[in-house]
Amino acid sequence: ETGVTQTPRHLVMGMTNKKSLKCEQHLGHNAMYWYKQSAKKPLELMFVYSLEERVENNSVPSRFSPECPNSSHLFLHLHTLQPEDSALYLCASSQGSGDYNEQFFGPGTRLTVL
Amino acid sequence: GQNIDQPTEMTATEGAIVQINCTYQTSGFNGLFWYQQHAGEAPTFLSYNVLDGLEEKGRFSSFLSRSKGYSYLLLKELQMKDSASYLCAVMDSNYQLIWGAGTKLIIKP
């Protein structure tokens, strides 16, 4: 248990579906992250929220839409995904987003797009 | 561009010692992290180096040479539970973590 939870743990969706991934951290952190992890590839940072400011990776397609209603919750809204979006989506949190910031990860959502 | 290199896979024997290397080329340097990730689980923090030298933490040690853009993770007295992927990540000048693809470590009896 790292103090970061993610739901659902597994998700199978069609390309026309709309779904959302949820992340919650119980650590009092003020920065949260979404990562994509594909087999044998480095973790890809998708989005960062720090004190309600969003830092976005320019290469993230618009079919991924993040939402951070407060410092404890982070969502990733998915729509019209492609099969190549199938991956493990990891959420993480840290005390800050600058300087030393050990990140605590959730267990991930295994997403399969059919 | 920014790049982190580490071996894809390594095999070692229970009770032995293994060294996992990581080389990096990044725009700026604000520290290097090692994480452990068991299959199907979250990555968990192992170590952080920002100054040159060796940091020892129990059976695990991590070394950094900033001039060489090089780090290694040393695991001693290997146990079967050490079978996992080990991820190297460097914090760049923008305080973003740049990740390697991970090294899958297989421990054999």
Side-chain angles (χ1 to χ4, degrees):
Chain A
E1 275 295 327
T2 62
V4 181
T5 58
Q6 290 186 242
T7 55
R9 293 294 308 275
H10 300 273
L11 178 62
V12 179
M13 58 187 290
M15 289 190 286
T16 58
N17 292 156
K18 289 184 180 180
K19 297 287 184 182
S20 295
L21 309 185
K22 179 183 177 181
C23 176
E24 183 174 359
Q25 58 96 0
H26 311 274
L27 301 168
H29 290 165
N30 54 31
M32 296 187 77
Y33 310 77
W34 278 118
Y35 285 94
K36 176 183 179 182
Q37 187 175 36
S38 302
K40 298 183 180 180
K41 290 185 177 180
L43 283 173
E44 299 174 45
L45 179 64
M46 300 177 72
F47 302 106
V48 180
Y49 275 86
S50 177
L51 297 173
E52 301 182 10
E53 177 184 348
R54 187 172 88 180
V55 177
E56 183 169 343
N57 184 322
N58 292 332
S59 64
V60 179
S62 59
R63 56 185 182 269
F64 295 93
S65 175
E67 178 189 0
C68 188
N70 55 61
S71 60
S72 298
H73 294 85
L74 186 66
F75 295 89
L76 188 63
H77 304 299
L78 316 171
H79 65 97
T80 59
L81 293 192
Q82 304 298 310
E84 59 264 28
D85 297 324
S86 298
L88 181 68
Y89 288 84
L90 290 165
C91 173
S93 71
S94 66
Q95 184 57 44
S97 62
D99 204 355
Y100 173 79
N101 66 339
E102 175 189 341
Q103 293 182 17
F104 293 77
F105 286 83
T109 296
R110 174 67 63 184
L111 174 66
T112 302
V113 181
L114 302 176
Chain B
Q2 307 199 91
N3 194 50
I4 310 287
D5 284 318
Q6 50 181 133
T8 303
E9 187 174 298
M10 299 181 70
T11 302
T13 304
E14 188 177 17
I17 299 173
V18 71
Q19 177 175 310
I20 303 174
N21 295 325
C22 172
T23 58
Y24 62 89
Q25 292 176 309
T26 57
S27 56
F29 179 84
N30 281 302
L32 185 144
F33 293 78
W34 283 98
Y35 279 77
Q36 179 190 60
Q37 185 178 24
H38 286 100
E41 297 183 12
T44 55
F45 170 81
L46 287 177
S47 68
Y48 171 74
N49 294 68
V50 67
L51 299 176
D52 289 351
L54 187 68
E55 295 279 343
E56 297 186 75
K57 191 184 294 185
R59 293 188 299 115
F60 293 7
S61 303
S62 57
F63 171 84
L64 174 68
S65 169
R66 288 172 296 171
S67 62
K68 296 182 179 178
Y70 168 70
S71 172
Y72 67 73
L73 182 69
L74 190 71
L75 292 74
K76 302 177 183 177
E77 301 169 17
L78 286 170
Q79 302 175 10
M80 297 303 293
K81 67 178 182 179
D82 298 329
S83 292
S85 288
Y86 292 85
L87 311 179
C88 175
V90 172
M91 186 173 293
D92 69 8
S93 56
N94 294 319
Y95 297 101
Q96 299 292 339
L97 279 179
I98 310 301
W99 294 83
T103 298
K104 182 178 180 180
L105 178 63
I106 300 169
I107 309 298
K108 295 185 175 180

